[in-house]
């Protein structure tokens, strides 16, 4: 028997009532951009984070990436996914149009995650390749870089974990 006043996990129907009844077409405020992906599982994880925080996913227009995103969409609902043929040119265009480019990377001069304010303007969040990180040409375009502090032995976090933490902070939900 449950103790009176003990925490109770909400049921699926409670959760369903609190969520949106249907997908949002395009949020166009926060865009998570794993533009140099290597592992398909990370794309599915990032897609779920996008749905949770109200962000769009931006991926390169490649056949395997399309399949990976479709397979990883365990929500079985349409999510906002932008597919770009040339990531660097797309980033340059976003910058020219006035969006803030925020790279998530272990870098000198980076902002620490705890000091990152919620996004006040349209923000593109650059996430690096699982082995090679964010390419230097893309890092050079970034307005800011954010780093998630670590005290363990690993050199870096999984890219989907790193992207999800930053997305929650930018969405003002942490
Ligand atoms: C596995 S890491 C890449 C590590 C790669 N060996 C390197 O040296 O750049 C993949 C991506 O996850 C993100 N990432 C992982 N850990 C991070 C951290 N602690 N702070 C900021 N970004 C991180 C970055 O976008 C990074 O490019």
């Amino acid at each position: 028997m449950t103790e009176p006043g003990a925490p109770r996990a909400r049921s699926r129907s409670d959760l369903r009532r609190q969520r949106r009844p249907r997908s949002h077409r395009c949020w166009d405020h926060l865009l998570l951009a794993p533009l140099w992906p290597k592992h398909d599982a990370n794309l599915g994880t990032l897609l779920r984070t996008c749905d949770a925080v109200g962000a769009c996913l931006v991926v390169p227009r490649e056949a395997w990436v399309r399949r990976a995103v479709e397979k990883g969409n365990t929500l079985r609902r349409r999510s906002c996914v932008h597919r770009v043929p040339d990531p660097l040119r797309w980033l340059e265009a976003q910058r020219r149009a006035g969006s803030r480019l925020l790279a998530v990377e272990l870098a000198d001069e980076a902002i620490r995650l705890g000091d990152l304010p919620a996004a006040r303007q349209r923000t593109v969040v650059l996430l690096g390749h699982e082995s090679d990180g964010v390419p230097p040409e893309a890092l050079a375009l970034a307005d800011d870089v954010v780093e998630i502090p670590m005290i363990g032995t690993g050199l870096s976090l999984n890219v989907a974990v790193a992207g999800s933490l930053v997305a929650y902070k930018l969405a003002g939900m942490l």
Side-chain angles (χ1 to χ4, degrees), residues 104-106 128-131 133-134 146-148 150 156-157 159 162:
V104 180
E105 195 49 280
L106 298 127
H129 179 272
E130 283 88 333
S131 309
V134 177
V146 60
E147 176 169 335
I148 302 153
M150 300 173 62
S156 62
L157 292 164
V159 65

Side-chain angles (χ1 to χ4, degrees), residues 63-128:
W64 79 266
V65 171
R66 175 182 286 277
R67 285 193 298 275
V69 170
E70 280 166 10
K71 187 174 159 207
N73 187 5
T74 49
L75 299 169
R76 305 273 173 243
R77 288 165 202 269
R78 200 168 53 107
S79 293
C80 181
V81 180
H82 300 252
R83 296 185 166 82
V84 300
D86 182 337
L88 271 186
R89 286 184 66 175
W90 182 81
L91 288 175
E92 284 163 356
Q94 299 303 304
R95 215 184 127 106
R96 275 197 303 278
S99 292
R100 178 192 190 200
L101 303 191
L102 177 68
V104 180
E105 195 49 280
L106 298 127
D108 295 338
E109 315 295 331
I111 304 167
R112 287 165 66 92
L113 181 67
D115 297 328
L116 183 71
R120 285 183 288 266
Q121 66 181 103
R122 188 176 187 275
T123 302
V124 177
V125 181
L126 308 185
L127 298 169

Side-chain angles (χ1 to χ4, degrees), residues 5-78:
R8 180 185 71 88
R10 270 174 279 157
S11 67
R12 288 181 70 87
S13 51
D14 288 342
L15 292 172
R16 176 60 52 216
R17 272 195 298 279
Q18 291 169 353
R19 299 291 188 264
R20 291 175 163 259
R22 60 189 79 81
S23 315
H24 196 285
R25 198 176 164 77
C26 179
W27 301 87
D28 204 39
H29 179 66
L30 195 54
L31 297 95
L32 287 199
L35 290 169
W36 304 273
K38 180 179 174 192
H39 299 306
D40 37 1
N42 289 329
L43 296 173
T45 303
L46 286 167
L47 192 65
R48 289 200 67 151
T49 298
C50 284
D51 174 77
V53 303
C56 303
L57 186 72
V58 189
V59 291
R61 193 180 292 163
E62 293 174 27
W64 79 266
V65 171
R66 175 182 286 277
R67 285 193 298 275
V69 170
E70 280 166 10
K71 187 174 159 207
N73 187 5
T74 49
L75 299 169
R76 305 273 173 243
R77 288 165 202 269
R78 200 168 53 107

